[in-house]
Amino acid sequence: MEKKERKGIVLFSEYKRGEAIKKALEKSREEILFELRESKLKGRGGAGFPTATKWNMVAAAKSDKKFIICNADEGEPGTFKDRALLLEYPELVFDGMVIAGYTIGASEGIVYLRGEYEYMLKSLNDYLEAMRKDNLLGKNIVGKNGFDFDITIRLGSGAYVCGEETALIESLEGNRGEARNRPPYPVNTGYMGKPTVVNNVETLAAVPHIVLKGGEWFKKYGTDKSTGSKLFSVSGDCERPGVYELPWGTTINELLEIVGAKSVKAVQVGGASGICIPKSQFNRSLAYEDAATGGSIMIFGENRNMLHVLKNFMKFFVEESCGQCTPCRIGNTKLSEGIEMIEKGEYTFAYINKLKELGQTMKVASKCGLGQSSPNAFISILENFKEEIFNGNGGRNGK
Amino acid sequence: MLVLEKNAMTEEIEQLVEKYGRSRSSLLPILQDIQRKHKHIPDFAQQEIARLLDIHPVEIYSVITFYSFLSTTPKGKYIVRLCQTIACDMQGKEAVAKAIERELGIKFGQTTKDNKFTLEYANCVGMCDQGPAMIVNENVYTKLTPEKAIQILSELK
Ligand SMILES: Cc1cc2nc3c(=O)[nH]c(=O)nc-3n(C[C@H](O)[C@H](O)[C@H](O)COP(=O)(O)O)c2cc1C
Ligand code: SF4
Ligand code: FES
């Protein structure tokens, strides 16, 4: 696979395979947890849960078996930064998993790779094989007596909801990928009912750097509440789409400048599940405390039809809802139909308002994050672009 | 299925069970391998997997129908999945879709008469910065134009 030479402040800074594993294995688990806590690293998969807390819960659990799962299901529309990490920086992801295994007391790591990324499977497996040869995986890793750890890769089969951690575990266990009620959380009863850490690819990729350079160093970047850097997957109307590593707290305006985006009307932050931000709010910053995102940034130029964009997002949710709970299964269909009514000019404002209320209900009544976040785009696009959508020929102003 | 085919299928599944382990958690890898090789998971294979893993056949069916990459009816030798999500849409997916439909003489969701191609839409395949994108079996193709897409498909034997 081609390896692009990237430069970045944290993740894309220099790193040699195995370096952090060696350093970590000289430390105690407590010391590693301490650095992780110092770094204030939060999950990069979307929910932003503090990584040290999650690891600590599993480290403290008494169990004959524990697991570390790398969530590489990357299916949120507009997200492709895990692809870049897996193709270009597998050392960061896998070394992060080994360190997690050591810290929480797991001997098995599993990567859940989305089926669409099967083309990476061979190179990733070759990479793991090379790690085994160098004793970075296997028994008594780098001579550390009693620390055995290995990684297997499992493929998904084309279901977005399997990125949700409990659906992912269901899928690994050989079931339909239907989300479970939470609690209990995977840290208590995860894969095979055992304590399990599920982390995003990017979260794990930050770990080796934190182990080597310390939590203090990591915290120098970003904001108080959002420490370190973030990989942004930038697509849509701009000159230079791609993956960018930027400090948390970067404003949308700054990002647009960097990627060469001109005459932009809207930016969808956080993918189809995220929110649509209009021009008037481009001074907002990308951070957990403001415009939060798992990394998806989609840019819409002046001439884009926002109703068309919304329709595309809602079709996505209708198709990807697992159908287990009513608010999400029926709700997304209703919202989708509403958009078609607007498109045809056959709607009443009373009905549209009802649909917005339905959206609010879905946010609280749906069982998992898919149904809870799917109305975000509906609500924010109809609100922020009502002029265009309702006054502009029922949204039929062309693409 | 002929008796010989059945025997071969049973043997194949026994080998997969051997490889992945006789437990429910091996179900997806087994189904994925059968799907890859046979382009669907025949009834008989479902029964055999059920028997060997000690799961009810209905459970197997229910798992298969959940995942868009698994199917109980035969797909073509090449499954073409064109991304329909917004970033690819904005980069010209529609023209590519039309060209492929014209060239293969089928609509999305259909399989060519010679069972060579099945045409489907996929949701965001993680190539939004290089769209329009499609995945054919497991290979990914990016920055498609109508011409480029047809060229790629015509080179598949
Ligand atoms: C519908 C849905 C899809 C998700 N997809 C992903 C995904 O592809 N990758 C991911 O890391 N997290 C995804 N998540 C979040 C996971 O449930 C989980 O929070 C995350 O993997 C935890 O890792 P982190 O703490 O390192 O972020 C998804 C959540 C939902 C509700
Ligand atoms: S919210 Fe949607 S995806 Fe989640 S469990 Fe309910 S139906 Fe399934
Ligand atoms: S939108 Fe097509 S690959 Fe993401």
Side-chain angles (χ1 to χ4, degrees), chain B residues 31-48:
Chain B
L31 293 176
Q32 286 163 345
D33 282 6
I34 301 280
Q35 176 80 41
R36 203 174 287 120
K37 186 154 168 215
H38 301 275
K39 305 299 165 189
H40 75 304
I41 301 152
D43 288 349
F44 180 71
Q46 296 175 40
Q47 286 162 25
E48 286 300 88

Side-chain angles (χ1 to χ4, degrees), chain A residues 18-36:
Chain A
E19 222 180 340
I21 295 181
K22 286 177 192 133
K23 177 137 184 223
L25 294 189
E26 289 163 8
K27 296 184 179 206
S28 70
R29 296 160 150 200
E30 289 72 26
E31 284 171 308
I32 298 171
L33 283 169
F34 176 82
E35 283 307 329
L36 209 56

Side-chain angles (χ1 to χ4, degrees), chain B residues 107-146:
Chain B
K107 299 276 173 216
F108 279 82
Q110 298 179 337
T111 300
T112 53
K113 281 217 179 66
D114 60 359
N115 279 331
K116 190 165 171 194
F117 292 105
T118 294
L119 188 52
E120 292 180 356
Y121 278 121
N123 287 321
C124 183
V125 299
M127 282 292 169
C128 335
D129 53 337
Q130 301 162 41
M134 71 176 176
I135 294 182
V136 182
N137 290 351
E138 72 279 354
N139 297 315
V140 64
Y141 301 92
T142 57
K143 296 191 177 165
L144 297 174
T145 57

Side-chain angles (χ1 to χ4, degrees), chain A residues 147-365:
Chain A
F147 178 51
D148 304 342
F149 186 80
D150 212 324
I151 297 175
T152 45
I153 304 176
R154 291 275 308 263
L155 281 174
S157 259
Y160 162 72
V161 70
C162 286
E164 197 281 336
E165 56 187 13
T166 62
L168 185 156
I169 290 169
E170 284 292 324
S171 176
L172 284 178
E173 291 178 350
N175 302 321
R176 291 162 69 89
E178 291 174 347
R180 299 175 179 169
N181 279 318
R182 302 182 319 159
Y185 295 94
V187 288
N188 300 313
T189 43
Y191 182 54
M192 299 299 188
K194 305 292 181 187
T196 302
V197 166
V198 182
N199 271 140
N200 175 251
V201 172
E202 186 184 351
T203 313
L204 289 164
V207 169
H209 288 296
I210 293 170
V211 166
L212 280 186
K213 293 167 225 168
E216 278 298 329
W217 166 82
F218 187 80
K219 258 193 319 207
K220 282 196 316 206
Y221 303 99
T223 72
D224 242 12
K225 290 200 174 101
S226 312
T227 56
S229 69
K230 181 78 190 87
L231 297 187
F232 294 102
S233 317
V234 182
S235 65
D237 296 315
C238 65
E239 280 162 20
R240 294 176 292 278
V243 176
Y244 290 83
E245 179 180 17
L246 298 169
W248 277 118
T250 302
T251 66
I252 295 173
N253 266 327
E254 286 165 339
L255 183 131
L256 292 176
E257 176 80 36
I258 293 167
V259 304
K262 292 177 193 101
S263 47
V264 177
K265 154 159 91 176
V267 176
Q268 180 78 14
V269 176
S273 322
I275 50 167
C276 193
I277 296 186
K279 202 173 186 164
S280 57
Q281 296 174 28
F282 284 177
N283 57 350
R284 288 179 66 178
S285 53
L286 300 161
Y288 292 108
E289 63 273 25
D290 191 353
T293 171
S296 169
I297 303 282
M298 295 192 276
I299 303 172
F300 302 110
E302 287 296 352
N303 58 346
R304 297 292 174 185
N305 175 342
M306 295 312 287
L307 194 66
H308 176 77
V309 171
L310 178 56
K311 188 177 174 184
N312 191 282
F313 288 156
M314 291 318 300
K315 184 173 161 62
F316 172 78
F317 288 120
V318 169
E319 289 182 6
E320 297 294 346
S321 165
C322 84
Q324 214 192 147
C325 67
T326 320
C328 171
R329 186 185 62 242
I330 310 283
N332 282 310
T333 309
K334 288 283 163 210
L335 299 187
S336 229
E337 287 167 5
I339 295 163
E340 274 166 35
M341 290 160 85
I342 300 174
E343 244 184 354
K344 292 191 195 125
E346 292 166 3
Y347 62 93
T348 63
F349 282 106
Y351 188 65
I352 299 301
N353 287 334
K354 272 231 169 65
L355 287 181
K356 284 192 196 158
E357 275 169 36
L358 171 65
Q360 297 296 352
T361 308
M362 290 165 66
K363 282 195 196 183
V364 290

